[in-house]
C-alpha cells in the first residue's frame, strides 16, 4: 500500500474551501437570525377595557362578539394570526360567536385571506385609548364586556397558552366572566399613534 502525501498547494486549497464553507454558513446564520429571530420585549403591558363600548349597531343582547385589535406594522401579529385563524374556525358561525377587527388608526394593511370571516369595524368607541396590540375584547350575549386583554402571555400565542378559548367556552355555557383589566408580559406593540 502506498500513501499519498499532500502537497502544500492541495492543503492550501482544502483550507481555503473550509474557510469559504464556514463563511457561507456564518452568513446564512446571520441572514436567518436577522429575518426570523426578533427580540422579545419583556415589558409588562396593561390592558384596561373600561373605555371600550360596542358601536350602536352591535350593542345590546345578541351573539357573543369578539373584537380583534391589530396594527399591520406590528411584528407580533404574525404569531397571533395563526391562533386567531384557529379561533375563527372553531367558534365562528353556528357556534354563536361573531368576529370583528379594528385596525390601528392611521395604518394601512389587511388581514390575511384565512381571516376573511372577520368583519372589519371602522372604529370602536374607546379604541383610541387602549395601550397595546394585538389585543382582544369579548362581549357576552347580554352585550356586557366580559374580557379585554391579550390573547396569551409570553413570546408565542397559541391555543396551549391562550386566555381566549376558556372565556369563549364559559360564555357559550352562559357562565359569567368579568376580566376587563389585565396585565401581561409578551409580544405587544404600542397602540397610541
Amino acid at each position: 500500500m502506498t500513501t499519498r502525501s499532500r502537497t502544500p498547494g492541495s492543503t492550501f486549497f482544502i483550507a481555503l474551501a473550509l474557510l469559504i464553507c464556514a463563511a457561507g454558513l456564518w452568513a446564512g446564520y446571520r441572514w436567518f437570525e436577522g429575518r426570523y429571530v426578533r427580540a422579545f420585549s419583556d415589558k409588562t403591558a396593561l390592558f384596561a377595557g373600561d373605555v371600550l363600548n360596542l358601536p350602536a349597531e352591535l350593542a345590546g343582547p345578541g351573539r357573543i362578539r369578539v373584537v380583534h385589535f391589530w396594527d399591520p406594522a406590528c411584528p407580533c401579529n404574525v404569531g397571533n394570526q395563526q391562533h386567531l385563524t384557529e379561533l375563527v374556525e372553531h367558534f365562528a358561525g353556528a357556534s354563536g360567536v361573531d368576529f370583528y377587527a379594528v385596525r390601528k388608526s392611521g395604518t394601512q394593511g389587511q388581514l390575511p385571506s384565512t381571516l376573511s370571516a372577520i368583519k372589519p369595524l371602522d372604529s370602536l368607541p374607546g379604541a383610541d385609548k387602549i395601550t397595546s396590540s394585538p389585543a382582544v375584547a369579548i362581549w357576552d350575549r347580554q352585550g356586557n364586556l366580559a374580557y379585554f386583554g391579550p390573547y396569551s402571555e409570553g413570546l408565542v400565542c397559541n391555543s396551549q397558552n391562550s386566555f381566549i378559548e376558556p372565556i369563549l367556552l364559559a360564555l357559550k355555557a352562559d357562565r359569567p366572566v368579568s376580566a376587563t383589566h389585565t396585565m401581561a408580559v409578551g409580544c405587544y406593540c404600542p397602540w397610541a399613534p
Side-chain angles (χ1 to χ4, degrees):
M1 235 160 122
T2 61
T3 59
R4 289 177 56 157
S5 63
R6 290 196 177 116
T7 63
S10 66
T11 303
F12 171 76
F13 286 116
I14 290 172
L16 182 63
L18 288 173
L19 185 63
I20 290 171
C21 286
L25 287 172
W26 178 252
Y29 170 76
R30 297 296 292 172
W31 172 82
F32 177 81
E33 182 181 52
R35 183 167 177 159
Y36 294 106
V37 178
R38 290 183 168 77
F40 174 65
S41 172
D42 61 354
K43 294 180 183 177
T44 302
L46 173 64
F47 297 87
D50 47 356
V51 297
L52 295 175
N53 293 298
L54 283 170
E57 64 271 12
L58 298 176
R63 292 166 55 94
I64 297 168
R65 287 140 287 191
V66 174
V67 178
H68 170 63
F69 297 90
W70 73 291
D71 175 1
C74 178
C76 302
N77 283 311
V78 174
N80 172 264
Q81 288 173 350
Q82 178 60 38
H83 179 227
L84 186 56
T85 300
E86 293 169 8
L87 285 170
V88 170
E89 289 172 355
H90 189 263
F91 290 101
S95 291
V97 180
D98 292 331
F99 286 83
Y100 301 91
V102 174
R103 186 179 66 219
K104 182 178 178 179
S105 66
T107 62
Q108 300 280 332
Q110 301 226 345
L111 289 170
S113 61
T114 56
L115 295 172
S116 62
I118 297 178
K119 301 169 195 110
L121 293 174
D122 292 330
S123 66
L124 187 100
D128 57 330
K129 305 261 189 293
I130 70 172
T131 59
S132 303
S133 72
V136 62
I138 303 173
W139 279 267
D140 63 17
R141 289 186 178 117
Q142 289 72 42
N144 300 315
L145 182 63
Y147 175 80
F148 176 67
Y151 283 83
S152 65
E153 188 171 48
L155 180 59
V156 296
C157 179
N158 58 46
S159 59
Q160 300 300 313
N161 67 349
S162 173
F163 305 135
I164 307 309
E165 284 88 344
I167 290 169
L168 289 175
L169 291 172
L171 292 175
K172 284 180 61 174
D174 290 324
R175 293 192 314 263
V177 175
S178 180
T180 60
H181 292 77
T182 54
M183 288 177 57
V185 176
C187 186
Y188 313 114
C189 294
W191 186 261

